Amino acid sequence: MENLNQIEIQNIRHICGHATNFCAKINYYKTLTSDTNITTVLEDICEECSNVKTELSNML
């Protein structure tokens, strides 16, 4: 990872920020439904976004 330039590092930071925003929106959407299937899918999506953010942060 030492070959990353400033723009690539900035792009990774933006992806991490977007993952956080996605989770916030997903958590809001979870409050709008009582369907457990949809809630489960939304939780899985949020978990994957968090995993992507963690993996990218660990690479830096």
Side-chain angles (χ1 to χ4, degrees):
M1 282 291 143
E2 64 272 355
N3 295 333
L4 293 176
N5 63 37
Q6 290 296 328
I7 292 176
E8 292 166 330
I9 292 171
Q10 182 178 2
N11 287 339
I12 291 172
R13 286 189 196 129
H14 285 220
I15 292 169
C16 290
H18 291 307
T20 301
N21 290 338
F22 290 148
C23 282
K25 289 180 182 181
I26 288 169
N27 285 328
Y28 168 72
Y29 295 140
K30 284 188 340 187
T31 65
L32 301 177
T33 184
S34 59
D35 187 344
T36 56
N37 292 330
I38 294 173
T39 303
T40 302
V41 169
L42 292 175
E43 287 173 354
D44 291 344
I45 292 169
C46 188
E47 184 177 336
E48 288 300 319
C49 284
S50 296
N51 290 342
V52 166
K53 178 182 172 183
T54 302
E55 289 293 323
L56 286 173
S57 297
N58 289 340
M59 287 179 8
L60 297 178

